[in-house]
Amino acid sequence: MSGDARGKRSAGLLLFRHTEHGLEVLLGHMGGPFFARRDAGAWSVPKGEYEPDEAAWDAARREFQEELGLAPPDGEAIELGEVRQSNGKVVTAWAIEADLDPAAMVPGTFRMEWPPKSGRVQEFPELDRVEWLSLERAREVVVTAQATFLDRLTEHSD
């Protein structure tokens, strides 16, 4: 995303499941050239921006569909509140217990000029992959501010 994200708001859904190895969460690796070779800080709750006249919950479900190409799961939604990322964007999230096959994802795309100042516009996936990650692994790679969502989910699951 270009420019300053201050004042912008995003909403998303954090899927989780219980496995024999413990709690796992579904995170997406951000697509595009800026994140292609990054791991730490390049993973996020599937989310997207919304306008003030749209309810955050509706935006979270719409963005899940747009980013993953899959219908958002039904189930009890656990409010995880909001966090402010280092770029100033405020992200609101809900957790839903569900299982999903990451291979079924058909990512939404965005267009940007790449390489910079080349005049060439290319299309990139919003998320280039999604994976089920243990909480420990998720904390290592998720956008720093979003680790708070993992903490809140853990508190709710205890």
Side-chain angles (χ1 to χ4, degrees), residues 65-89:
Q65 175 89 40
E66 287 179 13
E67 296 221 341
L68 276 66
L70 302 169
D74 293 322
E76 178 192 352
I78 301 164
E79 288 188 47
L80 298 177
E82 59 184 39
V83 298
R84 182 178 299 278
Q85 297 184 162
S86 60
N87 63 4
K89 181 184 287 184

Side-chain angles (χ1 to χ4, degrees), residues 7-71:
K8 294 187 187 266
R9 299 187 68 85
S10 282
L13 298 179
L14 177 63
L15 300 193
F16 69 96
R17 67 183 184 184
H18 295 277
T19 73
E20 61 188 42
H21 307 292
L23 199 61
E24 292 183 339
V25 293
L26 187 77
L27 295 179
H29 184 271
M30 292 181 266
F34 298 121
F35 299 101
R37 292 184 175 86
R38 288 184 51 198
D39 198 38
W43 292 78
S44 174
V45 171
K47 62 171 182 51
E49 292 181 10
Y50 65 99
E51 297 300 321
D53 62 347
E54 183 179 15
W57 169 249
D58 294 337
R61 293 181 59 79
R62 174 180 50 77
E63 287 293 333
F64 186 92
Q65 175 89 40
E66 287 179 13
E67 296 221 341
L68 276 66
L70 302 169

